[in-house]
């Protein structure tokens, strides 16, 4: 049973224990009917009406569901006048309560006081209200307080009274003033709906992403409608308005009149309406005192009950747990609370004090000046177990366990009874489930012990449900504690999820508890502990009284080994609260330099940002900084900064190459990089079509090259300019396409069309090496097969390229005859090749033998064919032998 | 053939997984823009895309028409345009112009840009500056790696080399890091990472950051080790003419994305044929790594075998014939077709490469590598330039000369440069500027002045600091130190010995026995020593930046995975290097998977 002791904690229930006395009264009432011992555990207020009308009806489904009222807290606050004349708003899911006392007072001397309390009435914040007249208070899903003012301005405060922001509900609202306001929750967030003085509705579905919608006019509306409510249907927020006995649905486009099916005809006006927590059901209260209950799409009527009270109520709310079969709503008048259900009768409670109703997912909380209670339908499992004379397996198991504790053999009898019906696992399940719905740790323990006892007799029972219930209860008991004051039910907890609960604790700055819960539930670190720590750190850095060093150290020590912490977020917070130095210190802890950059930029620490970006190796980040700096700094400073960061500079150059050619020029200019400037001009010249512009660009390049002391490039470029002019002249004169050719190509073209003179001129003017010229001329003459000219050329002077090329070129053009003319002129080293080229085997052999070169002899040998050159081969072989010997 | 005998090869990881991942993501992205749409694809993404998702798949996802991005005004009637592009500023600008033109014309269309492999902030800035940021939606297609073959992966980033080494733009570093991360997440973590070079180090850093952010998956790893190597560690290898079959095919016909287009002179018809070159091609897989001189013999042998196989059907009875037709004929036909193609290709190679010129070119390269007869080489290069033999080859020789000789003498540099400009035009001034930037082609001058300074400073301080200073200076001067390296690592086998290319002795066979690729030798040495110890001198000469990191400990004993090494060339690699690594793999009983940025066949112009 040790798990149990660990599994549930003990929670305190506020000062005093007044509850006990009233409890006894109720119990007396029950025990009158049935004296079953099991009821003694049933400590909560159990109200049963129409329970068993007659014994014959015992098995019939009761037409009224069981309701129970549990006291959650005795309120810790000390309110002089209770809730009278207060504007009150309490957040669902056991959220905080805000009070605005004397909100109607308009004199500046007596400012109303805004107070925020936890659900247990512990003060969280309190401050005098200095802004305009507040029409309505409300809470958002993330525990922020909304104060809607008369002029349509909505002020947002956090749970501890810190002002966050404000927004307006539009001009139209501020002109015609706010008449009534409703704050509602939907899957899209928290919304605000306003009825203006001009009797028009304005609505924003999500206050974090405000899109104001003005709904169509309601026909025939003279004064304020008798009542209205906001519905969420078909992924749209709509307003349901009652004007007298007429009912309208307003959506974005139209105002549609509707009639609730089966509404009793004696009613002349609908005075109150309420929508269930899930927006599925609707309850209407008419001036004849009838409560109509049905689905919110007005297609189905569930029931209609006469309350017999004709005065308008203060509040009305649904009190219904999910999946319940029974409709049930709560109507509150001064001092009276009536629960209406499916049958004609109602349950009535007397209220001592002014109270408000807070609808919840699975019930209604009733908050008065002194008490905080939960009214809910008794959960199925609890009913099964604690119902008087219940024979449900769970009830039997509980009984069996009790007998077992007493060491009575009856335990066995009960167990046997369950096992005979093979319902033991069902019994365990019931006990576990019921434990979840109980608020008193003792009851929880009793039920869980019984479940555990039953489990012993089961072999393959999956333990998950039991274990997770123990965990959940421990968490729930911890947060229900008077000092924390979040009275969540198990159903609400499951709906809300642990994540949200952690968030709520964080909003309340209950960091240690949040961390404990994360650890206890083994939430993955980055979702749990780390997240809490981050919030803690964000809060910590806003503490103005401590020095930067102390805070930075405290943060780093606490967060050191937590995974998934983004120091940048914390630093951002520090910066936002005006502590730049601290922010920079914190950023030092950030291991990902990429994360540091955006904030550094925001803080105008651009040089640091740039070097961090480069450090990260992420070029995108570098670009981000560079682009930012480009817009932020003047050009000179910008370039200077780039100059110190070569990586950034080269990236920016890349960008400029495509986007801003001129900037590139400036960049080089700034750097006195004349070489690159020259290159840039040369490059540009190639994109230029017109010759004049091209030459001009080249001239600029020449200038730059001179500045760069690159004589070579300057000279070459000048040559190019000369060449271009020459080409143009020739083009004009001879009509040959030349412009843009390289020197070599120009000469080739000239030679091929027979402009030898001009080619020679180039040869001289541009100091073309002899070799090149000879090659050129040789090729072009051979191509034209101008053998005569070639011969003349060959004889003009000694060939700088030798005569082997002559031979080869002739052979290439299949002129063996011409080729042979040059063989004799070839140098001794190339003789063999030349002879071979013209196919003169003997000549080749001769030359090779003469030179006594082994490899040459082999080459010739390999070319000889055995049949025709038999003699030659012999000679060669002999020569080879001697050559080798040598 | 040695290759086929190697039965013990470890099982390679299944790379088709990567393709599937890429395809699924692409389809997802296309579905994001429902309805019919026209797709514009960057020209260099065409072939990779074809290997990932063919036209039918694209059509299935409502792609109406496909266009190539040509940076020209478009003709498209579709109301939805989708652009699949590399993150290039130019392309983005073109798209912005399109959008703006449509706006002026009052035409409403939906635009979606899918950047691959990732989008860059600069591109978004362009969209913003052009005022179309709100009109287009952007997305990323994280298509990092394309498996080209069983053992080759490619990032298909032709810009990598230029951007990273020339422009100093490191934006692709993260891409490479992400690619490694992807491999790791798919195939398990590596036990050891080696690397050399600045870029390699940065890639590793970016990868490490990704590793730290993401969660670790423990999975039986399929790779043991990774080796990252910067292209600028070894510029020599890609500068040499390739003589291995695959390399030659690349030199002559350009292998693009694992396939090659053979022109009419190869196919001996008037059509060009596109052929996939990978290990699926039985003929090719056997000759790809062979020295060219062996290929012809092999092909003729193969042809004979094929003939025998065909001849078998003579004297078959009906039953046998039936079996033959159904089982073998198709395979034989296929083989026949491939064989004729490769024979055609070899013939065309023969024509081009057995000419005097090529022999001389090789001879010059070899003497440059060995450091003999430099004068003759210069003369040869000069002639080469003067005769306008080949623009690229001349440059290649010039660079090789510069690297092996630690820069050209000022006189030579000027005269050769002038000659080159005369041959090919002044625009190559920029080419030379780029090459100098890269340290591929330099004047000696700068180095000398530094040495002078060095000795001066050296006198002032004690010996210990001199060493450090020398390091600093040598990295400043970007000296290639090739000669010393070559001696140290025995890259150039002793000349004079016969090198039998049929039975290769070492990796030098990929360069006719004249040179062992430096990059491959480094990999061999490091893996042998399991680190850089003992190679300090070498790394100093390579400007350091080496690292070796032990990753996740590998509990298993020598499994297949242990023998698989991933080699990543940052800035591209040549087929010769791949062949050399395949050879090394056989020798050392390890297997190398290569990941490359892009196949380079050194080509640098403006």
């Amino acid at each position: 049973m040790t798990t149990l002791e660990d599994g549930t904690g003990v929670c305190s229930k506020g000062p005093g224990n007044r509850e006990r006395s009233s409890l006894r009264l109720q119990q007396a009432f029950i025990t009158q009917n049935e004296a079953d011992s099991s009821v003694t555990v049933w400590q909560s207020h159990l109200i049963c009406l129409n329970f068993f009308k007659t014994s014959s009806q015992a098995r019939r489904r009761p037409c009224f569901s069981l309701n129970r009222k549990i006291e959650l807290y005795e309120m810790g606050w000390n309110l002089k006048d209770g809730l009278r004349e207060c504007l009150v708003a309490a957040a669902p899911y056991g959220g905080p309560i805000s009070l605005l006392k004397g909100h109607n007072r308009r004199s500046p001397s007596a400012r109303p006081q805004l107070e925020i309390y936890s659900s247990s009435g512990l003060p969280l914040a309190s401050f005098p209200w200095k802004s305009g007249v507040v029409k309505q208070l409300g809470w958002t899903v993330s525990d922020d307080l909304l104060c809607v003012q008369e002029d349509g301005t909505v002020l947002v405060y956090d749970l501890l009274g810190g002002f966050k922001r404000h927004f307006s509900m539009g001009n139209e609202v501020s002109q015609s003033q706010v008449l009534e306001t409703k704050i509602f929750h939907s899957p899209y967030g928290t919304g605000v709906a306003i009825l203006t003085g001009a009797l028009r509705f304005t609505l924003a579905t999500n206050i974090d992403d405000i899109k104001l919608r003005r709904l169509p006019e309601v026909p025939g509306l003279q004064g304020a409608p008798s009542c209205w409510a906001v519905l969420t249907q078909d992924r749209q927020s709509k307003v349901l308005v009652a004007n007298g006995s007429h009912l309208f649905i307003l959506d974005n486009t139209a105002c549609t009149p509707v009639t609730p099916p089966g509404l009793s005809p004696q009613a002349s006006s609908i005075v109150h309406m309420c929508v269930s927590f899930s927006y599925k059901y609707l309850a209407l209260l008419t001036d004849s005192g009838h409560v109509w209950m049905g689905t919110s799409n007005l297609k189905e009527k569930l029931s209609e009950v006469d309350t017999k009270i004709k005065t308008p109520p203060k509040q009305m709310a649904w009190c219904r747990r999910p999946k319940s079969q029974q409709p049930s709503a709560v109507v509150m008048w001064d001092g009276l609370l009536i629960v209406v259900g499916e049958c004609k009768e109602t349950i009535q409670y007397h209220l001592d004090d002014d109270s408000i109703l807070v609808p919840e997912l699975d019930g209604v909380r009733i908050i008065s000046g002194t008490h905080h209670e939960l009214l809910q339908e008794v959960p199925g499992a609890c009913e099964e177990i604690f119902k008087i004379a219940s024979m449900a397996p769970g009830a039997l198991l509980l009984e069996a366990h009790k007998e077992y504790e007493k060491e009575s053999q009856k335990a066995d009898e009960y167990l046997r009874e369950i096992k005979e019906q093979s319902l033991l696992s069902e019994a365990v399940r019931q006990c576990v489930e019921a434990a979840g719905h109980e608020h008193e740790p003792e009851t929880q323990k009793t039920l869980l012990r019984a479940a555990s006892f039953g489990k012993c007799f089961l072999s393959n029972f999956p333990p998950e449900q039991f274990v997770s219930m123990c965990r959940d209860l421990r968490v729930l008991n911890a947060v229900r504690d008077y000092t924390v004051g979040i009275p969540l039910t198990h159903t609400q907890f499951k709906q809300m999820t642990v994540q949200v609960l952690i968030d709520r604790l964080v909003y309340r700055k209950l960091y240690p508890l949040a961390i404990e819960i994360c650890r206890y539930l083994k939430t993955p670190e980055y979702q749990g502990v780390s997240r809490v720590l981050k919030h803690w750190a964000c809060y910590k850095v806003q503490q103005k009284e401590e020095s930067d060093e102390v805070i930075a150290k405290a943060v780093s020590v606490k967060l050191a080994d937590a995974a998934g912490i983004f120091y940048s977020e914390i630093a951002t917070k520090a910066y936002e609260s005006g502590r730049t130095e601290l922010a920079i210190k914190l950023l030092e802890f950030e291991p990902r330099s990429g994360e540091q950059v955006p904030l550094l930029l925001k803080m105008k620490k651009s040089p640091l940002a740039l070097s961090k970006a480069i450090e990260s190796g992420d070029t995108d980040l570098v670009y981000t900084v560079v682009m930012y700096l480009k817009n932020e700094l003047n050009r000179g400073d910008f370039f200077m900064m780039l100059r110190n960061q070569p990586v950034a500079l080269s990236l920016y150059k890349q960008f400029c190459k495509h986007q801003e050619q001129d900037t590139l020029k400036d960049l080089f200019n700034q750097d006195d990089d004349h070489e690159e400037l020259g290159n840039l001009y040369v490059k540009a010249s190639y994109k230029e079509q017109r010759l004049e512009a091209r030459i001009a660009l080249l001239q600029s390049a020449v200038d730059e090259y001179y500045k760069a002391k690159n004589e070579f490039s300057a000279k070459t470029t000048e040559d190019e300019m000369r060449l271009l002019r020459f080409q143009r002249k020739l083009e004009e004169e001879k009509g040959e396409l030349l412009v843009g050719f390289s020197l070599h190509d120009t000469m080739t073209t000239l030679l091929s069309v027979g402009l030898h003179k001009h080619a020679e001129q180039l040869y001289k003017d541009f100091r073309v090496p002899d070799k090149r010229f000879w090659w050129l001329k040789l090729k072009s003459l051979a191509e034209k097969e101008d053998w005569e000219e070639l011969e003349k050329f060959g004889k003009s002077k000694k060939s700088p390229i030798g005569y082997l090329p002559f031979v080869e070129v002739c052979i290439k053009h299949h002129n063996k005859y011409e080729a042979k003319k040059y063989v004799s002129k070839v140098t001794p080293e190339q003789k063999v090749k030349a002879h071979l080229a013209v196919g003169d085997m003997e000549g080749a052999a001769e030359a090779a033998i003469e030179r006594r070169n082994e490899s040459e002899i082999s080459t010739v040998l390999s070319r000889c064919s055995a049949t025709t050159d038999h003699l030659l081969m012999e000679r060669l072989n002999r020569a080879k032998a001697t050559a080798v010997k040598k | 053939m040695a290759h086929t005998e190697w039965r013990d090869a470890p099982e390679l990881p299944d790379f088709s997984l990567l393709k599937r991942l890429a395809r699924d993501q692409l389809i997802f992205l296309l579905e994001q823009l429902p309805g019919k749409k026209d797709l514009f694809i960057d020209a260099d993404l065409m072939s990779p895309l074809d290997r990932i998702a063919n036209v039918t798949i694209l059509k299935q996802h409502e792609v109406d028409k496909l266009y190539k991005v040509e940076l020209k005004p478009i003709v498209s009637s579709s109301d939805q345009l989708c652009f699949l592009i590399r993150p290039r500023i130019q392309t983005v600008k073109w798209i912005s112009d399109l959008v703006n033109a449509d706006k002026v014309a009052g035409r409403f269309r939906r635009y979606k840009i899918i950047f691959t492999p990732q989008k860059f902030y600069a591109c978004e800035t362009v969209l913003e500056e052009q005022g179309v940021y709100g009109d287009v939606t952007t997305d990323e297609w994280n298509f990092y790696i394309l498996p080209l073959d069983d053992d080759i992966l490619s990032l298909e980033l032709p810009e990598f080399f230029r951007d990273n080494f020339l422009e100093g733009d490191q934006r692709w570093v993260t891409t490479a890091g992400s690619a490694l991360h992807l491999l790791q997440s798919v195939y398990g973590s590596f036990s050891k990472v080696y690397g050399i070079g600045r870029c390699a180090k940065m890639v590793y850093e970016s990868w490490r950051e990704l590793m730290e952010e993401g969660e670790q998956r423990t999975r039986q790893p399929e790779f043991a080790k990774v080796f990252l190597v910067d292209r600028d560690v070894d510029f020599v290898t890609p500068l040499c003419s390739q003589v291995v079959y695959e390399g030659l095919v690349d030199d002559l016909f350009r292998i693009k994305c694992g396939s090659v287009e053979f022109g009419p002179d190869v196919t001996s018809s008037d059509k060009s044929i596109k052929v996939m070159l990978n290990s699926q091609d039985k003929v090719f897989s056997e000759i790809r790594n062979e020295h060219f001189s062996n290929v012809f013999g092999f092909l003729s042998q193969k042809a004979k075998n094929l003939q025998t196989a065909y001849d078998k059907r003579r004297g078959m009875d009906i039953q046998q014939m039936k079996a033959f037709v159904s089982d073998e004929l198709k395979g034989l036909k296929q083989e026949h077709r491939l064989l004729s193609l490769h024979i055609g290709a070899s013939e065309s190679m023969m024509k081009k490469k057995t000419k005097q010129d090529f022999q001389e070119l090789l001879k010059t390269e070899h003497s440059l590598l060995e450091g003999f007869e430099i004068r003759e080489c210069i003369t040869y290069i000069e002639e080469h330039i003067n005769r306008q033999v080949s623009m690229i080859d001349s440059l290649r020789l010039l660079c090789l000369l510069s690297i092996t000789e630690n820069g050209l003498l000022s006189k030579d540099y000027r005269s050769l440069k002038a000659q080159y400009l005369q041959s090919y035009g002044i625009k190559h001034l920029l080419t030379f500027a780029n090459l100098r930037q890269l340290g591929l082609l330099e004047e000696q001058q700068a180095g000398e002045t530094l040495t002078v300074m060095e000795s001066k400073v050296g006198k002032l301080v004690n010996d210990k600091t001199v060493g450090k200073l020398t390091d600093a200076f040598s990295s400043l001067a970007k000296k290639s130190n090739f000669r010393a390296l070559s001696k140290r690592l025995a890259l150039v086998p002793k000349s004079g010995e016969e090198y039998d290319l049929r039975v290769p002795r070492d990796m030098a066979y990929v360069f006719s026995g004249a040179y062992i690729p430096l990059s491959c030798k480094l990999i061999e040495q490091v893996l042998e020593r399991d680190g850089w110890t003992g190679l300090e001198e070498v790394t100093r000469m390579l400007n350091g930046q080496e690292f070796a990191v032990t990753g996740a400990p590998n509990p298993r004993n020598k499994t297949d995975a242990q023998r698989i090494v991933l080699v990543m060339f940052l800035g591209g690699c040549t087929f010769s290097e791949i062949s050399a690594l395949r050879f090394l793999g056989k020798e050392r009983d390890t297997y190398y998977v290569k990941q490359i940025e892009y196949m380079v066949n050194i080509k640098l112009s403006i």
Side-chain angles (χ1 to χ4, degrees), chain B residues 212-231:
Chain B
E212 277 168 13
E213 269 171 44
E215 31 192 317
Q216 296 283 345
R217 273 214 294 162
T218 43
R219 180 177 185 290
Q220 180 62 27
E222 295 186 52
F223 292 107
K225 294 164 182 172
V226 198
F227 199 105
L228 306 174
V229 56
D230 271 23
R231 183 70 273 175

Side-chain angles (χ1 to χ4, degrees), chain A residues 648-661:
Chain A
L649 183 62
S650 56
L651 276 177
Y652 187 60
K653 275 185 192 160
Q654 281 278 76
F655 182 76
C656 289
K657 243 176 225 171
H658 298 286
Q659 276 293 75
E660 302 165 20
Q661 292 277 351

Side-chain angles (χ1 to χ4, degrees), chain A residues 592-593 615-621 623-625 627 630 647 650-651 654-655 657-660 675-676 678-680 682-683 686 698 705 710-713 716-717 720 740 742-745 748 766-769 771-772 775 779 808 833, chain B residues 89-90 93 118-122 125-126 129-130 162-163 167-174 198 202 209 213 356 360 379 382-383 385-388 413-415 417-430 433 436-437 606:
Chain A
R592 284 153 292 219
S593 30
E615 210 175 275
S616 77
D618 182 351
T619 46
D620 265 12
L621 214 52
Y623 263 127
T624 318
V625 183
M627 290 303 158
K630 187 179 130 196
V647 176
S650 56
L651 276 177
Q654 281 278 76
F655 182 76
K657 243 176 225 171
H658 298 286
Q659 276 293 75
E660 302 165 20
E675 179 88 41
E676 279 294 332
N679 289 345
L680 203 65
V682 171
K683 199 171 176 186
Y686 273 89
L698 286 173
Y705 284 136
N710 188 340
E711 304 257 330
F712 178 83
S713 296
T716 328
T717 317
E720 173 72 9
S742 72
L743 183 58
H744 187 104
D745 293 342
T748 316
F766 288 90
R767 297 184 308 280
V768 176
K771 283 185 182 173
R772 180 191 294 275
W775 273 111
K779 254 199 215 162
E808 279 170 353
K833 267 190 200 163
Chain B
I89 291 173
Q90 217 182 355
K93 205 167 166 211
Q118 66 198 87
K119 77 180 156 203
F120 287 130
Y121 181 74
T125 315
V126 172
E129 282 187 358
Q130 302 290 324
R162 192 187 165 92
D163 282 350
E167 317 269 5
D169 176 349
Q170 294 148 352
R171 59 200 172 132
W172 299 114
V173 167
T174 37
R198 212 165 89 86
M202 290 176 69
E209 259 174 43
E213 269 171 44
Q356 204 72 19
E360 299 247 329
T379 321
E382 201 177 345
E383 188 192 313
I385 296 169
N386 277 341
R387 288 171 53 203
Q388 271 194 329
Y413 180 72
R414 283 175 191 220
S415 101
K417 189 165 156 190
Q419 304 254 5
Y420 194 86
L421 294 180
Q422 281 187 355
S423 277
Y424 300 109
I426 192 204
K427 56 176 176 283
H428 290 286
L429 259 185
L430 308 181
R436 203 183 56 212
Q437 178 90 24
I606 44 167

